[in-house]
């Protein structure tokens, strides 16, 4: 079965760091564009970052530039999102998803919850 | 405030049709045919229902259809069924700076 599984969420204080992972089974992540999308509690969806299959093309939501880093790990067949200098407004469920085109995300993980609070 | 405007809620009875609108600008919905629609049930991950304005992925019932006119995209669900009750989000490509924008979501209630 093809699936994505996120992990790494949790409670972190403002200004702290967290690293999210997205592990794939049934597909090779580095053959696909991948993305992170987040959803604050009770709110709508918000795109966060993209990465190309070769890792050379990366784009970020303006509000996370310089704080978040998206990357892939070939050996582990995983996608990561390193989140630094976290703010209260970053609190959300974070989903990883596979891209078919820039707005066509056809495979999603179940999400991992990030809480930013003191 | 979301970049794309959707009605907060719509409703319909089983068997009826409903249309959800998604209004953007000439910089996003009006400029590109990269408009997608996602269905999300409570506590679940989003599911792709429509992509590239009017294309349906395999496995999505043909009761779901998409269209676009000017700066407004629409999702129509015909022959409403109880399992269609969910939140629906539109999203659009918005150029090589903003990249992707979403609507605020529409809660569909099947009466």
């Amino acid at each position: 079965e093809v699936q994505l599984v996120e992990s790494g969420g949790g409670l972190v204080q403002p200004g702290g760091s967290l690293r999210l992972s997205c592990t794939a089974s049934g597909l090779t992540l580095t053959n696909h564009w991948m993305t992170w999308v987040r959803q604050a509690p009770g709110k709508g969806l918000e795109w966060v970052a993209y990465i190309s299959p070769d890792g050379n093309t990366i784009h970020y939501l303006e509000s996370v530039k310089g704080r978040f880093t998206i990357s892939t790990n070939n050996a582990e067949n995983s996608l990561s999102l390193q989140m630094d200098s976290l703010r209260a407004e970053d609190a959300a469920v974070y989903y990883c998803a596979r891209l078919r085109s820039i707005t066509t995300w056809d495979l999603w993980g179940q999400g991992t919850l990030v809480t930013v609070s003191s | 405030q979301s970049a794309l405007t959707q009605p907060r809620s719509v409703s319909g009875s089983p068997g009826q049709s409903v249309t959800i609108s998604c209004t953007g600008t000439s910089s996003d919905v009006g400029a590109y045919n990269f408009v997608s629609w996602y269905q999300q049930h409570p506590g679940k991950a989003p599911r792709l229902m429509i992509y590239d304005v009017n294309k349906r992925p395999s496995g999505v019932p043909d009761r779901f259809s998409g269209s676009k006119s000017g700066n407004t995209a629409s999702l129509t669900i015909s022959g409403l069924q109880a399992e269609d009750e969910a939140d629906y989000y539109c999203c659009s490509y918005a150029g090589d700076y903003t990249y992707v924008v979403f609507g605020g979501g529409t809660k569909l209630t099947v009466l």
Side-chain angles (χ1 to χ4, degrees):
Chain A
E1 181 187 6
V2 177
Q3 65 175 355
L4 301 172
V5 178
E6 300 95 338
S7 60
L11 173 63
V12 61
Q13 293 185 339
S17 298
L18 212 54
R19 187 177 184 87
L20 307 183
S21 293
C22 170
T23 303
S25 56
L27 79 159
T28 301
L29 281 186
T30 51
N31 288 342
H32 303 278
W33 283 78
M34 298 295 296
T35 191
W36 286 97
V37 178
R38 68 186 180 184
Q39 186 171 34
K43 302 297 184 183
L45 300 170
E46 182 176 50
W47 166 75
V48 175
Y50 284 124
I51 187 168
S52 62
D54 61 7
N56 290 332
T57 301
I58 290 173
H59 300 301
Y60 294 101
L61 175 70
E62 189 65 27
S63 64
V64 308
K65 280 182 184 177
R67 301 188 300 120
F68 289 13
T69 304
I70 188 173
S71 61
T72 53
N73 184 313
N74 289 355
E76 296 180 359
N77 197 27
S78 66
L79 171 74
S80 294
L81 186 68
Q82 175 67 39
M83 304 187 297
D84 299 319
S85 303
L86 281 161
R87 305 168 181 168
E89 56 264 34
D90 296 320
V93 173
Y94 283 73
Y95 297 98
C96 63
R98 178 180 67 181
L99 269 72
R100 288 305 196 187
S101 75
I102 199 154
T103 59
T104 305
W105 309 328
D106 65 341
L107 179 66
W108 294 67
Q110 86 289 349
T112 188
L113 176 63
V114 172
T115 303
V116 183
S117 175
S118 53
Chain B
Q1 187 161 342
S2 301
L4 305 180
T5 300
Q6 297 180 235
R8 291 288 297 270
S9 64
V10 298
S11 63
S13 300
Q16 288 186 333
S17 294
V18 295
T19 296
I20 300 171
S21 61
C22 170
T23 301
T25 70
S26 58
S27 297
D28 39 61
V29 175
Y32 308 99
N33 286 326
F34 293 118
V35 176
S36 297
W37 290 89
Y38 293 88
Q39 176 192 66
Q40 187 179 35
H41 288 107
K44 301 295 187 181
R47 175 192 178 191
L48 178 68
M49 305 303 285
I50 295 289
Y51 67 99
D52 294 353
V53 176
N54 56 13
K55 298 176 183 169
R56 238 183 352 264
S58 61
V60 172
D62 59 7
R63 303 184 294 102
F64 291 82
S65 62
S67 62
K68 189 183 85 166
S69 177
N71 297 337
T72 299
S74 299
L75 173 71
T76 298
I77 310 170
S78 59
L80 271 177
Q81 298 182 4
E83 59 262 34
D84 298 334
E85 185 163 295
D87 293 324
Y88 291 83
Y89 294 91
C90 62
C91 75
S92 173
Y93 179 60
D96 289 345
Y97 181 75
T98 305
Y99 294 105
V100 176
V101 289
F102 275 98
T106 298
K107 181 175 180 58
L108 169 62
T109 300
V110 180
L111 301 170

